[in-house]
């Protein structure tokens, strides 16, 4: 996991988090790089919107990361939600940027385990 953390800390790019509800209706949204926490989990900060809603009934998600380079380099992370919390102090401590409505928006720190890691293109 440390190698993956170093990759995300040193690589610029675009991330997309894909989820589906209990009926299989899919959603995809732009998300920042994941946060790697001490207990070996990966976390995303999310507002109470469709992605968060989908994770209430279906814990599976996929994070696609497309490197900011020529070609199609990056990672696919297959994730499983293990828990979430509303902890404004921790969220404020780990977040990388701020927005005008941060003080009023309900946010969650959603924790995942990594089930599989693959390159962006291909399966090996």
């Amino acid at each position: 996991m440390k190698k993956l953390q170093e990759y995300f800390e040193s690589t610029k790019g675009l991330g997309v988090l894909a989820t589906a509800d209990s009926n299989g209706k899919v959603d995809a949204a732009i998300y920042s790089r994941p946060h790697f926490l001490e207990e070996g989990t990966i976390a995303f900060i999310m507002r109470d919107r469709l992605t968060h809603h989908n994770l209430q009934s279906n814990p599976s998600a996929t994070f696609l990361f497309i490197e900011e380079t020529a070609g199609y380099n990056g990672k696919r992370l297959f994730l499983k939600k293990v828990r979430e919390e509303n902890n404004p102090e921790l969220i404020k401590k780990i977040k990388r940027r701020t927005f005008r409505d941060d003080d009023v928006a309900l946010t969650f720190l959603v924790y995942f385990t990594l089930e599989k890691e693959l390159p962006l293109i291909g399966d090996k």
Side-chain angles (χ1 to χ4, degrees):
M1 188 80 82
K2 185 71 171 161
K3 191 175 182 181
L4 190 60
Q5 179 178 358
E6 291 169 358
Y7 168 81
F8 280 106
E9 288 174 355
S10 64
T11 307
K12 290 185 178 185
L14 175 70
V16 177
L17 186 63
T19 59
D21 66 17
S22 60
N23 296 317
K25 190 170 181 180
V26 178
D27 171 58
I30 301 293
Y31 266 79
S32 182
R33 295 170 289 138
H35 297 275
F36 291 81
L37 303 174
E38 294 174 7
E39 65 266 13
T41 57
I42 295 172
F44 289 93
I45 297 169
M46 57 183 66
R47 294 182 181 200
D48 194 22
R49 294 185 177 156
L50 186 55
T51 298
H52 181 254
H53 174 76
N54 286 350
L55 289 166
Q56 303 311 300
S57 61
N58 182 347
S60 296
T62 302
F63 182 70
L64 303 177
F65 184 77
I66 305 162
E67 291 180 13
E68 197 176 277
T69 60
Y72 296 100
N73 298 306
K75 303 261 183 209
R76 287 182 289 162
L77 305 182
F78 295 83
L79 307 168
K80 184 159 206 153
K81 178 186 164 191
V82 290
R83 67 185 174 92
E84 70 178 56
E85 65 180 310
N86 177 280
N87 184 335
E89 293 81 26
L90 179 57
I91 291 170
K92 186 175 181 177
K93 180 180 173 186
I94 68 171
K95 67 195 281 184
R96 297 182 188 104
R97 57 186 160 190
T98 58
F99 297 95
R100 287 187 306 232
D101 62 347
D102 278 349
D103 292 333
V104 297
L106 181 59
T107 55
F108 298 89
L109 190 57
V110 182
Y111 297 83
F112 296 88
T113 56
L114 177 63
E115 295 194 318
K116 185 191 297 187
E117 172 191 346
L118 293 175
L120 184 62
I121 304 292
D123 60 355
K124 294 183 181 182

